[in-house]
Tab-separated table of all heavy atoms in Angstrom:
chain	number	residue	atom	x	y	z
A	18	LYS	N	7.595	33.506	-1.743
A	18	LYS	CA	7.044	32.157	-1.602
A	18	LYS	C	6.881	31.436	-2.931
A	18	LYS	O	7.078	30.212	-2.997
A	18	LYS	CB	5.767	32.136	-0.771
A	18	LYS	CG	4.608	32.911	-1.307
A	18	LYS	CD	3.449	32.830	-0.302
A	18	LYS	CE	2.142	33.353	-0.855
A	18	LYS	NZ	2.116	34.787	-1.163
A	36	SER	N	-5.291	25.808	-7.666
A	36	SER	CA	-6.406	26.496	-7.029
A	36	SER	C	-7.436	26.934	-8.079
A	36	SER	O	-7.117	26.994	-9.275
A	36	SER	CB	-5.899	27.768	-6.335
A	36	SER	OG	-5.054	27.442	-5.272
A	40	ARG	N	-10.254	35.440	-10.761
A	40	ARG	CA	-9.532	36.517	-11.435
A	40	ARG	C	-9.265	36.161	-12.884
A	40	ARG	O	-9.290	35.001	-13.279
A	40	ARG	CB	-8.231	36.874	-10.694
A	40	ARG	CG	-7.036	36.000	-10.968
A	40	ARG	CD	-5.759	36.851	-10.906
A	40	ARG	NE	-4.564	36.032	-10.723
A	40	ARG	CZ	-3.986	35.318	-11.695
A	40	ARG	NH1	-4.509	35.251	-12.904
A	40	ARG	NH2	-2.895	34.620	-11.425
A	43	ARG	N	-3.930	35.568	-16.798
A	43	ARG	CA	-2.851	36.434	-17.284
A	43	ARG	C	-2.209	35.789	-18.499
A	43	ARG	O	-2.302	34.560	-18.660
A	43	ARG	CB	-1.767	36.614	-16.193
A	43	ARG	CG	-2.288	37.358	-14.971
A	43	ARG	CD	-1.164	37.551	-13.944
A	43	ARG	NE	-1.723	38.138	-12.728
A	43	ARG	CZ	-1.392	37.772	-11.497
A	43	ARG	NH1	-0.519	36.820	-11.281
A	43	ARG	NH2	-1.951	38.361	-10.468
A	52	TYR	N	-4.270	27.687	-12.692
A	52	TYR	CA	-5.497	27.833	-11.894
A	52	TYR	C	-6.623	27.179	-12.680
A	52	TYR	O	-6.523	26.977	-13.882
A	52	TYR	CB	-5.885	29.316	-11.730
A	52	TYR	CG	-5.102	30.082	-10.701
A	52	TYR	CD1	-4.080	30.966	-11.091
A	52	TYR	CD2	-5.382	29.963	-9.346
A	52	TYR	CE1	-3.371	31.688	-10.135
A	52	TYR	CE2	-4.678	30.689	-8.387
A	52	TYR	CZ	-3.665	31.536	-8.795
A	52	TYR	OH	-2.960	32.260	-7.859
A	71	GLU	N	-10.821	25.396	1.496
A	71	GLU	CA	-10.769	26.761	2.020
A	71	GLU	C	-10.978	27.678	0.833
A	71	GLU	O	-10.712	27.303	-0.301
A	71	GLU	CB	-9.426	27.086	2.697
A	71	GLU	CG	-8.178	26.943	1.821
A	71	GLU	CD	-7.958	28.065	0.824
A	71	GLU	OE1	-8.311	29.211	1.128
A	71	GLU	OE2	-7.443	27.802	-0.262
A	73	ALA	N	-10.924	32.217	-0.063
A	73	ALA	CA	-10.738	33.567	0.480
A	73	ALA	C	-10.772	34.584	-0.637
A	73	ALA	O	-10.519	34.257	-1.798
A	73	ALA	CB	-9.389	33.642	1.196
A	75	VAL	N	-8.945	37.613	-2.182
A	75	VAL	CA	-7.601	38.203	-2.187
A	75	VAL	C	-7.572	39.285	-3.264
A	75	VAL	O	-7.843	38.984	-4.436
A	75	VAL	CB	-6.509	37.142	-2.493
A	75	VAL	CG1	-5.103	37.752	-2.392
A	75	VAL	CG2	-6.624	35.929	-1.582
A	80	TYR	N	-10.386	33.094	-4.367
A	80	TYR	CA	-9.418	32.022	-4.596
A	80	TYR	C	-9.809	30.863	-3.682
A	80	TYR	O	-10.268	31.109	-2.568
A	80	TYR	CB	-7.992	32.440	-4.195
A	80	TYR	CG	-7.373	33.476	-5.088
A	80	TYR	CD1	-7.681	34.818	-4.928
A	80	TYR	CD2	-6.465	33.115	-6.067
A	80	TYR	CE1	-7.112	35.783	-5.736
A	80	TYR	CE2	-5.881	34.077	-6.881
A	80	TYR	CZ	-6.210	35.418	-6.713
A	80	TYR	OH	-5.630	36.359	-7.505
A	81	GLY	N	-9.613	29.637	-4.135
A	81	GLY	CA	-9.943	28.513	-3.250
A	81	GLY	C	-9.246	27.226	-3.639
A	81	GLY	O	-8.849	27.044	-4.802
A	82	THR	N	-9.088	26.360	-2.644
A	82	THR	CA	-8.458	25.058	-2.857
A	82	THR	C	-9.542	23.998	-2.937
A	82	THR	O	-10.337	23.842	-1.995
A	82	THR	CB	-7.540	24.714	-1.652
A	82	THR	OG1	-6.600	25.765	-1.481
A	82	THR	CG2	-6.827	23.398	-1.884
A	100	GLU	N	-0.034	26.709	-2.253
A	100	GLU	CA	0.547	28.045	-2.115
A	100	GLU	C	-0.623	29.020	-2.005
A	100	GLU	O	-1.205	29.407	-3.006
A	100	GLU	CB	1.419	28.349	-3.350
A	100	GLU	CG	2.140	29.672	-3.187
A	100	GLU	CD	2.693	30.200	-4.502
A	100	GLU	OE1	2.966	29.405	-5.423
A	100	GLU	OE2	2.823	31.444	-4.601
A	101	ILE	N	-0.988	29.320	-0.784
A	101	ILE	CA	-2.212	30.090	-0.575
A	101	ILE	C	-1.956	31.262	0.335
A	101	ILE	O	-0.915	31.347	0.987
A	101	ILE	CB	-3.357	29.208	-0.048
A	101	ILE	CG1	-3.031	28.658	1.334
A	101	ILE	CG2	-3.658	28.081	-1.024
A	101	ILE	CD1	-4.161	27.846	1.955
A	102	ASP	N	-2.914	32.174	0.423
A	102	ASP	CA	-2.708	33.348	1.272
A	102	ASP	C	-2.961	32.995	2.745
A	102	ASP	O	-3.432	31.889	3.061
A	102	ASP	CB	-3.574	34.505	0.790
A	102	ASP	CG	-4.919	34.520	1.426
A	102	ASP	OD1	-5.551	33.451	1.516
A	102	ASP	OD2	-5.375	35.597	1.877
A	105	GLY	N	-6.537	31.929	3.985
A	105	GLY	CA	-6.884	30.532	3.616
A	105	GLY	C	-6.171	29.534	4.508
A	105	GLY	O	-6.767	28.540	4.961
B	1	LIG	P1	-2.086	35.593	-7.972
B	1	LIG	O1	-3.385	36.190	-8.417
B	1	LIG	O2	-0.965	36.613	-8.022
B	1	LIG	O3	-1.769	34.306	-8.681
B	1	LIG	O4	-2.248	35.193	-6.419
B	1	LIG	C1	-2.633	36.147	-5.465
B	1	LIG	C2	-2.643	35.545	-4.097
B	1	LIG	O5	-3.631	34.527	-3.978
B	1	LIG	C3	-1.328	34.887	-3.662
B	1	LIG	O6	-0.999	35.368	-2.374
B	1	LIG	C4	-1.666	33.440	-3.606
B	1	LIG	O7	-0.894	32.754	-2.641
B	1	LIG	C5	-3.118	33.452	-3.232
B	1	LIG	N1	-3.820	32.216	-3.562
B	1	LIG	C6	-3.651	31.470	-4.703
B	1	LIG	N2	-4.432	30.395	-4.665
B	1	LIG	C7	-5.127	30.442	-3.496
B	1	LIG	C8	-6.092	29.595	-2.872
B	1	LIG	O8	-6.499	28.550	-3.373
B	1	LIG	N3	-6.570	29.988	-1.681
B	1	LIG	C9	-6.158	31.140	-1.058
B	1	LIG	N4	-6.679	31.416	0.141
B	1	LIG	N5	-5.249	31.953	-1.597
B	1	LIG	C10	-4.730	31.614	-2.803
Side-chain angles (χ1 to χ4, degrees):
K18 62 183 191 294
S36 295
R40 83 146 160 77
R43 295 182 186 138
Y52 282 103
E71 60 75 34
V75 184
Y80 291 80
T82 305
E100 184 196 334
I101 64 176
D102 89 315

